[in-house]
C-alpha cells in the first residue's frame, strides 16, 4: 500500500532514554548511540527505516549523555536542505517550565514547536533502540484508511513474555481496532489466529497531528500520569475508541526472507543486546544485514580493509562464523562466532569466541575472550582470560550477567594475569574451534593435521602441549 501524496509526515525519534539496563555500555553514551553489529549505532536502524520509507523530515529528541549521539547524527545523517529534508538532533530545552523531559510523551510536549513549525498532517513516532526493518509508509497508509486518530505497531510474541511488553488486545469484530492496552500484565488472552501468541507494542506510533497535540495537552494537565507514550497517550486514544493496531507481520520489505522479514528485537538489556549480535552471524542469519534493497545506513569508517595474517612462528589468523569490520587485523589469532568492530587487533594464538568486541579493542597474544562484550579502547593483556571464570571476572570489576555474559566498559583497565589466570587461558588455547571440528569429524587424517595445527598455535606463545589437542567445543 502507498500513502496519499497530500499527507505531510513528520517523524519524531525518541532518543532520550538513559538505558540503565544496558550499563556499563551506557555509562558514557546515550542508549541509541551504543555501537551495534560492528559498524552501526542502534539509532541507525530507526533512521534507516524512516529514510527508506521516504520520510525525510525527521527530528531526534535527545537528553542523557547525548554528545556521541549528536555527533553521529551530524556526521552521518545529512540530508539535502535544498529539498526541505533534514534529520535534526533536538536536546531538552526546558521550553515548558524548568523540568527536563519527564517521559516520552512529555518530551514531545516540550517540543511541540517542532510540530507547529513543520505543520504536518501525520506524525510518526518511533523508538531509537530496536533492531528491525519496517516500511512505515505501509503503516501510515493503513492508519489513514482506517480513520483512526492513533495507530500502534504490534509484533507477535509468545504468551509467556506478556509481562515484558505493552499488550494490545484487539476488538473481536474489528481486528484493526484496539479494545484494550495494558502495560506488562501477568497474563493476557492469546490471538484468535494463534492462541500461543499475543500482540506486543513495538513502541512505534502513527498519529493525526492535531489529535496528538490535543492528547499531549490533556496529558500535561493531569496529575495521575507518567507522561509516557505507551502508558498514557495510547490508553487515552483507546478510551476514546480511536486507537488502531498495525500488525507487523503484514509489513513487506524488499529483499527480505521468510526467516528475517518479521524480525524485531528490543536490545534494552545486556542479554538481549548479546543475543541480537548472535542472530547476525549464522550462514543463514536470523536478521540479515546484507539486504541491499533496504539498506541500513551509517557513517562509513575511513579504516582500511580487514586483514587476516600469520602471527609469530607462523600461527594462522582466521575468523569463522563471524562479522569483522574495517580496520581489524587478526594476526595469528582465531575468532569464532563473534562480531568485531572497526580497528580491532587480535594477536598471536589468542582466541575470541562468541563475543562482541567494539572499536579499537586489542587482544594480546595467548589471551582468551569467551562470551564477552568488550567496549571500545580496552587493552586485554597477553595470556589474560576473559569470560572463563565468573568469579575472577567479578573480582576485577567486570560485570557478569546471570546468564554468564562478561561485560567490560569503555576503556576499562584489565590487570596483568597471574599464574592461575595464565594457566586458565593456556588450557583453552589447544581447543579446536567448533566449526573446524565439525568439518573434520569424518576425516581422521585431516583431523590429525588440525590437532597438530592447534598444538602449534598454543606452542607459539609458550604453552606446553601434553598429548592430543582437545576435540571438545570451547
Amino acid at each position: 500500500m502507498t500513502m496519499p501524496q497530500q499527507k505531510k509526515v513528520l517523524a519524531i525519534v525518541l532518543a532520550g532514554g538513559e538505558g540503565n539496563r544496558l550499563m556499563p555500555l551506557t555509562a558514557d553514551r546515550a542508549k541509541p548511540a551504543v555501537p551495534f553489529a560492528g559498524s552501526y549505532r542502534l539509532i541507525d536502524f530507526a533512521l534507516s527505516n524512516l529514510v527508506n520509507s521516504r520520510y525525510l523530515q525527521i527530528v531526534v529528541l535527545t537528553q542523557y549523555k547525548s554528545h556521541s549521539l549528536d555527533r553521529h547524527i551530524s556526521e552521518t545523517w545529512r540530508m539535502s536542505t535544498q529539498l526541505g529534508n533534514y534529520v535534526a538532533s533536538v536536546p531538552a530545552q526546558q521550553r515548558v517550565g524548568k523540568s527536563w523531559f519527564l517521559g516520552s510523551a512529555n518530551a514531545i510536549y516540550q517540543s511541540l514547536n517542532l510540530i507547529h513549525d513543520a505543520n504536518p498532517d501525520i506524525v510518526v513516532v518511533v523508538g531509537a533502540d530496536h533492531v528491525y526493518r519496517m516500511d512505515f509508509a505501509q503503516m501510515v497508509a493503513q492508519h489513514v484508511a482506517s480513520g483512526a486518530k492513533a495507530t500502534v505497531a504490534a509484533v507477535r510474541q509468545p504468551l509467556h513474555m506478556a509481562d515484558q511488553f505493552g499488550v494490545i488486545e484487539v476488538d473481536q469484530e474489528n481486528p484493526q481496532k484496539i479494545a484494550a492496552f495494558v502495560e506488562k500484565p501477568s497474563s493476557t488472552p492469546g490471538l484468535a489466529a494463534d492462541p500461543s501468541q499475543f500482540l506486543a507494542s513495538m513502541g512505534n506510533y502513527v498519529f493525526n497531528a492535531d489529535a496528538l497535540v490535543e492528547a499531549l495537552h490533556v496529558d500535561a494537565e493531569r496529575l495521575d500520569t507518567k507522561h509516557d507514550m505507551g502508558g498514557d497517550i495510547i490508553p487515552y486514544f483507546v478510551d476514546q475508541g480511536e486507537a488502531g493496531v498495525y500488525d507487523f507481520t503484514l509489513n513487506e520489505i524488499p529483499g527480505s526472507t521468510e526467516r528475517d522479514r518479521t524480525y524485531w528485537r528490543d536490545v534494552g538489556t545486556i542479554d538481549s543486546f548479546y543475543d541480537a549480535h548472535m542472530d547476525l552471524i549464522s550462514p543463514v542469519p536470523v536478521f540479515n544485514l546484507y539486504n541491499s534493497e533496504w539498506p541500513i545506513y551509517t557513517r562509513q569508517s575511513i579504516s582500511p580493509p580487514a586483514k587476516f595474517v600469520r602471527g609469530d612462528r607462523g600461527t594462522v589468523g582466521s575468523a569463522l562464523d563471524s562479522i569483522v569490520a574495517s580496520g581489524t587485523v587478526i594476526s595469528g589469532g582465531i575468532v569464532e562466532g563473534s562480531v568485531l568492530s572497526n580497528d580491532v587487533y587480535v594477536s598471536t594464538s589468542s582466541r575470541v569466541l562468541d563475543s562482541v568486541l567494539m572499536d579499537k579493542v586489542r587482544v594480546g597474544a595467548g589471551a582468551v575472550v569467551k562470551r564477552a562484550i568488550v567496549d571500545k579502547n580496552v587493552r586485554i593483556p597477553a595470556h589474560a582470560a576473559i569470560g572463563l571464570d565468573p568469579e575472577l571476572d567479578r573480582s576485577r570489576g567486570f560485570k557478569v550477567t546471570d546468564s554468564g555474559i562478561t561485560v567490560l566498559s569503555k576503556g576499562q583497565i584489565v590487570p596483568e594475569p597471574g599464574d592461575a589466570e595464565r594457566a586458565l587461558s593456556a588450557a583453552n588455547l589447544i581447543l579446536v574451534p567448533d566449526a573446524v571440528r565439525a568439518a573434520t569429524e569424518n576425516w581422521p587424517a585431516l583431523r590429525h593435521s588440525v590437532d597438530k595445527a592447534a598444538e602449534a598455535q598454543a606452542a607459539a606463545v609458550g604453552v606446553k602441549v601434553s598429548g592430543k589437542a582437545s576435540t571438545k567445543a570451547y
Side-chain angles (χ1 to χ4, degrees), residues 201-223:
S201 171
M202 297 171 66
N204 297 334
Y205 315 102
V206 174
F207 299 96
N208 291 353
D210 55 351
L212 174 62
V213 171
E214 179 182 344
L216 292 171
H217 279 290
V218 171
D219 181 73
E221 296 297 323
R222 291 173 52 190
L223 298 178

Side-chain angles (χ1 to χ4, degrees), residues 30-184:
K31 181 179 174 184
V34 171
F36 185 81
S39 301
Y40 305 93
R41 304 274 186 146
L42 286 177
I43 196 171
D44 290 329
F45 291 85
L47 293 176
S48 294
N49 285 326
L50 290 168
V51 169
N52 287 331
S53 302
R54 307 308 300 164
Y55 296 146
L56 304 177
Q57 296 182 332
I58 304 169
V59 293
V60 181
L61 303 185
T62 66
Q63 182 164 240
Y64 297 102
K65 301 175 184 175
S66 63
H67 172 65
S68 63
L69 177 60
D70 292 334
R71 185 177 63 190
H72 176 72
I73 292 171
S74 66
E75 292 178 350
T76 307
W77 291 95
R78 296 180 179 180
M79 299 290 188
S80 172
T81 56
Q82 195 169 26
L83 299 177
N85 305 327
Y86 54 85
V87 176
S89 178
V90 181
Q93 300 176 75
Q94 295 187 333
R95 283 178 170 269
V96 182
K98 292 298 181 181
S99 66
W100 299 111
F101 295 156
L102 303 176
S104 54
N106 183 256
I108 301 177
Y109 175 71
Q110 291 200 37
S111 307
L112 279 177
N113 63 295
L114 302 172
I115 297 178
H116 296 321
D117 291 346
N119 193 29
D121 303 299
I122 300 292
V123 178
V124 176
V125 179
V126 304
D129 46 20
H130 300 135
V131 177
Y132 65 109
R133 282 188 174 91
M134 182 174 180
D135 183 356
F136 286 103
Q138 297 174 33
M139 181 179 175
V140 171
Q142 178 189 297
H143 170 83
V144 173
S146 72
K149 294 182 179 179
T151 299
V152 183
V155 62
R156 299 187 181 198
Q157 296 289 331
L159 275 180
H160 70 270
M161 297 180 68
D163 61 353
Q164 301 177 36
F165 294 96
V167 172
I168 297 168
E169 298 177 6
V170 299
D171 188 297
Q172 295 301 313
E173 297 182 1
N174 181 4
Q176 289 188 358
K177 183 177 181 180
I178 299 178
F181 186 93
V182 186
E183 277 289 336
K184 301 179 180 179

